[in-house]
Amino acid sequence: MATDVDLPKRQITPVPVPVIPISVPQKRPLEDDHAPPVSSPLNPNPDVKPNKSQSHDDIAAMAREKPARSKKDTLKKRESKGGLGADSSRATPDPKVKELPPNESSPLRYKLAPPRPSDFETARGPVFTAHHEVPSTDGSTIQFYETSEHVYNKKSYHYLHCIADPAFPSSFYYRQTEPEPYGAHISFEDAATHMYMDQQGRHITTDKGFRTARANVAVRQGRWYWECKITRGTIKSNGDGNVQSNGHVRIGFARREASLDAPVGFDAYSYGIRDVQGQKVHMSRPKDFFPPGEEIREGDVIGLEIQLPSEHLHRKVVRGEYNPAVDLLDEEELSTEAANIVRDRIPIRFKQHIYLEKIDYHTTKELEDLMNPSPAGPSGTIGSRPADKPNPHHQVPALRTLPKSCIRVYKNGVLMGTPFTDLLAFLPPASKPQVQVGAREGMDDGMAGYYPAISVFRGGAAEVNFGPEFWFPPPDILDADGDGDVEMVDADTVKVAGAKLDRVRPVSERYDEQIVEDIMADVVDEVDFWMRDGARVIDRTGGRDGKAETTAGIAPGREEIKELVQDD
C-alpha cells in the first residue's frame, strides 16, 4: 500500500477570467459570395463559390456527403402542363402514383373492330313460328310459338341485347338495350330449350319433361308480387293418390345459378310450389304446405309475394358485418344506396343479333353440399358434429340467410301462408362466377337477385301476370298510379316517397327501375372509361389510334366481333 509521501501533488487548474461583452452580439453578415452547398426550395440552383474561410477540399468533401437535389414541380403543376414533356421537378421525391388495376376499379375492356351499320339499328326480338294451340279455361284459344334466331343463357354465360350508340365512344359504342315486347315478361333468352310461348311472353308450355323459364326482372330488395294462372294442369286428384291432369306446373322464385333444365325448387337456388297437393319444394325436398284437400288445379290463380331486406343490410350480411340489434332499426324506409356495379361484358354476334356476353354466376360447393349432405361431418369423420345450418352469421357467405326475408303464397286471392323464410343471400361473395379466364369473384353485376320462375311438364301451361292490373291483388298492394315523388335527403341517399319496404309493389314496376339502373350503369361505365383514357376520347375501334396500345386493361384487338354458335 502506497504512503502519502508517494502520492503526487495536485495542481490547481487555472480558470480564465470571463470577458463581459460590451454590447449584444449581432448576426454574422452574409458575404456576397455565400451560398448553401445543398439545394433547397428557396435556393434551387446555388452556385457554390469558395469563401475565404472555406477551402476547396472542404467543399469537395461536403459535396460527396450531401449530393445536390434538383427541384421538382408539384403534381398539380405537372398535370396543368398537360404532359408536354417539360422537365418538371419538385423539392421532394415524386409520390408513387398507383394506377388502380382494372379488376378493382373498372369493367374489363376489349379492343374491337368498328361497329357495323346494322349495329346501330333497334334490337330485334326472336322469330316466332306457330307451333300448336291450346284451349284456355275461359273458352278461348291460346296460340303457342316456337322461338328461334335468338341466343339462350346456358353454359354459365348470360346474354343481354345491346346496340351501338355514337354517344358511347369510350365503351366501343355499345350499350345495353331492350327489344320488343317491352315490359316485364317471361324471358325468351333466359329459358330452357323446347319451351313454347306467345308473342307477348305471358303464356308458356312444353311437350317435354320439366323445363324452367325466368322472367326478365330481378328482385333485389323490398316486397314484390306477381300472379300465375294455371291454364293446363291438374284436373282432380282421386282418393287413391292418382292424379288426372293435362300436365304439371310449378311456380316460385329462382336465382341466376338455378338450373333451367329442372323444375323450380330443384336446388338450393330456387323455391317452388307444386301443383300436386300444393306442396312447397326446396332442394328437391317436397313438404306439405296447403291444407289437406287443397291443391292447385286448372283455372286457379296463384299469387306469390317475396320480401327482401334492403341491399344495404344485404351487403352487411354477406360481408359479415350484420348486427341485428342495430341494423334492423334502419329497415323502415327503402333507400337507394350507390352499389359498386361492375359489369365485365363483351359484344358478340349471334345470327342477326348482337349481344353483350358475360360470365354468369355458377353453383358453389357449399350449396351443393347443403343439398346433398355427406354422411361425414365437416371434419371428415363419421359421427362428428354436424355443420351449422344457414344463418345470417354463418362463416361461409353462401350459407348466410337474409333477415326478415320470406315468400308468401295466395290462392285465388286468399293467403295460404308463408312457406319459405330466411332466404339465402345472393349478393357477392355469396354468389360466384364460374372459374375460368376473365371471371372475377366478388363483383356485383347488377343482375343477381331472385327472379319470378315458372316450370312446366308435358303439356302443362300457365299464364303470368306481373301487374299492375292483377286478377286477385293482395290487400296492401301499392297502387301503380301512386305519386312516387323523389325526396332528396343528401348527396348520396335518395328516398322514394311511398316506396317503403313494408309496401307490396307489382313486379311490372321493378322492370322500369331495372331499365333506369341499366342506363345509369352504362353512363357510369362510359365516364369511367373516359377518365381512364385521360379525360379524352380515343379511337379504339380496331386499334387505329396508336395511343390505345399503351392503355392498361384492354385486351388485344381482333378484326371482327366473335360470332357465337349454339346447338339446341
Side-chain angles (χ1 to χ4, degrees):
M1 181 174 179
T3 60
D4 295 339
V5 181
D6 298 334
L7 295 177
K9 294 182 179 181
R10 293 185 176 181
Q11 300 294 332
I12 299 176
T13 304
V15 179
V17 179
V19 179
I20 301 176
I22 301 175
S23 61
V24 178
Q26 301 293 325
K27 293 184 179 179
R28 182 175 60 86
L30 297 177
E31 300 177 2
D32 295 337
D33 58 351
H34 172 78
V38 181
S39 171
S40 68
L42 299 179
N43 298 275
N45 297 309
D47 186 11
V48 181
K49 296 180 181 180
N51 53 25
K52 299 177 182 179
S53 63
Q54 197 173 32
S55 65
H56 292 281
D57 295 338
D58 294 338
I59 296 174
M62 190 175 298
R64 287 193 303 267
E65 293 176 0
K66 297 182 179 180
R69 295 180 297 178
S70 59
K71 180 187 176 184
K72 298 182 180 180
D73 292 338
T74 62
L75 180 61
K76 291 185 177 180
K77 286 186 177 181
R78 295 200 302 273
E79 291 178 350
S80 63
K81 294 180 180 180
L84 299 178
D87 227 358
S88 61
S89 59
R90 55 183 284 169
T92 57
D94 284 336
K96 296 182 179 179
V97 180
K98 181 180 179 182
E99 181 181 354
L100 293 177
N103 62 341
E104 295 181 4
S105 62
S106 305
L108 297 178
R109 285 194 291 178
Y110 300 85
K111 198 174 301 179
L112 303 173
R116 295 178 183 175
S118 60
D119 295 345
F120 294 88
E121 299 177 358
T122 305
R124 297 178 295 274
V127 174
F128 295 94
T129 304
H131 190 268
H132 67 282
E133 294 181 351
V134 171
S136 179
T137 54
D138 58 2
S140 61
T141 301
I142 305 171
Q143 178 66 59
F144 284 99
Y145 297 86
E146 181 180 7
T147 60
S148 60
E149 303 296 323
H150 68 90
V151 72
Y152 285 97
N153 293 333
K154 59 182 182 179
K155 297 182 179 178
S156 299
Y157 284 98
H158 189 199
Y159 299 94
L160 298 167
H161 286 271
C162 68
I163 187 174
D165 191 336
F168 291 81
S170 299
S171 301
F172 304 106
Y173 301 101
Y174 292 104
R175 63 170 175 81
Q176 190 171 329
T177 187
E178 285 284 328
E180 293 183 351
Y182 304 118
H185 60 82
I186 301 172
S187 175
F188 303 112
E189 293 81 15
D190 206 13
T193 57
H194 304 290
M195 301 189 77
Y196 312 107
M197 310 179 196
D198 68 334
Q199 294 182 344
Q200 300 302 316
R202 290 176 58 95
H203 295 267
I204 188 170
T205 186
T206 186
D207 54 4
K208 304 292 184 181
F210 265 120
R211 300 285 192 276
T212 299
R214 283 185 287 254
N216 62 341
V217 176
V219 175
R220 293 165 64 94
Q221 63 179 355
R223 294 175 65 184
W224 303 90
Y225 178 83
W226 68 287
E227 292 178 334
C228 179
K229 179 187 291 185
I230 311 302
T231 54
R232 284 182 66 85
T234 301
I235 301 175
K236 65 177 181 178
S237 298
N238 299 327
D240 54 2
N242 296 325
V243 178
Q244 296 182 9
S245 68
N246 295 318
H248 294 284
V249 178
R250 294 188 188 183
I251 54 178
F253 289 91
R255 290 162 53 177
R256 293 230 54 83
E257 301 95 325
S259 174
L260 298 178
D261 294 323
V264 58
F266 169 77
D267 47 29
Y269 306 97
S270 60
Y271 302 84
I273 299 295
R274 294 181 67 193
D275 56 352
V276 178
Q277 300 179 5
Q279 293 180 321
K280 61 180 182 180
V281 187
H282 180 55
M283 295 189 295
S284 297
R285 292 171 175 82
K287 297 180 180 179
D288 293 336
F289 171 61
F290 276 23
E294 288 282 352
E295 58 184 357
I296 301 175
R297 300 183 180 93
E298 287 186 1
D300 287 339
V301 175
I302 304 301
L304 289 97
E305 175 197 333
I306 188 170
Q307 177 176 342
L308 297 173
S310 67
E311 292 187 34
H312 176 69
L313 188 143
H314 194 154
R315 280 186 282 271
K316 285 189 175 182
V317 172
V318 296
R319 290 197 301 254
E321 303 171 356
Y322 169 64
N323 183 357
V326 177
D327 296 327
L328 290 180
L329 300 178
D330 301 331
E331 287 297 288
E332 297 180 358
E333 294 268 348
L334 176 60
S335 61
T336 58
E337 177 188 356
N340 185 21
I341 303 298
V342 180
R343 307 177 301 172
D344 294 335
R345 311 183 298 184
I346 181 173
I348 59 99
R349 299 190 188 280
F350 182 79
K351 298 183 179 180
Q352 301 300 320
H353 304 270
I354 184 166
Y355 294 91
L356 291 171
E357 179 186 73
K358 63 174 290 293
I359 300 174
D360 209 350
Y361 296 108
H362 196 261
T363 57
T364 59
K365 183 180 182 302
E366 293 82 6
L367 290 184
E368 291 293 329
D369 293 341
L370 180 66
M371 177 180 175
N372 301 305
S374 172
S379 62
T381 59
I382 302 296
S384 60
R385 183 181 60 85
D388 295 334
K389 294 182 179 180
N391 62 81
H393 301 282
H394 201 282
Q395 60 181 353
V396 179
L399 295 177
R400 291 173 185 163
T401 58
L402 299 176
K404 299 180 64 175
S405 63
C406 65
I407 296 176
R408 300 181 179 91
V409 176
Y410 299 79
K411 179 183 177 183
N412 300 326
V414 179
L415 177 63
M416 305 302 293
T418 306
F420 304 106
T421 57
D422 299 327
L423 309 182
L424 291 171
F426 55 83
L427 287 180
S431 295
K432 299 179 181 180
Q434 186 181 29
V435 179
Q436 57 178 298
V437 178
R440 300 188 292 173
E441 293 186 4
M443 299 297 179
D444 181 11
D445 63 359
M447 300 304 296
Y450 280 102
Y451 291 73
I454 182 169
S455 304
V456 286
F457 175 86
R458 295 194 180 280
E463 179 185 2
V464 298
N465 182 6
F466 296 118
E469 300 296 332
F470 291 110
W471 296 305
F472 296 96
D476 52 351
I477 186 75
L478 176 65
D479 186 3
D481 297 330
D483 50 13
D485 294 334
V486 178
E487 176 187 358
M488 299 302 298
V489 180
D490 53 42
D492 299 324
T493 305
V494 178
K495 289 187 178 180
V496 183
K500 298 183 179 180
L501 285 175
D502 59 348
R503 300 293 298 273
V504 184
R505 305 173 62 192
V507 172
S508 58
E509 290 187 3
R510 174 58 191 152
Y511 173 85
D512 298 333
E513 290 185 357
Q514 191 168 281
I515 294 298
V516 174
E517 293 171 0
D518 293 338
I519 294 174
M520 290 300 300
D522 286 334
V523 173
V524 169
D525 289 347
E526 174 67 18
V527 174
D528 187 11
F529 293 151
W530 178 73
M531 291 296 294
R532 290 179 61 83
D533 293 339
R536 55 177 179 164
V537 176
I538 298 179
D539 183 11
R540 301 198 179 284
T541 56
R544 291 191 296 252
D545 192 339
K547 297 177 182 178
E549 300 291 339
T550 60
T551 303
I554 300 182
R558 55 188 177 213
E559 297 180 356
E560 188 50 80
I561 294 178
K562 181 180 70 173
E563 188 82 19
L564 180 66
V565 178
Q566 282 190 346
D567 299 328
D568 292 340

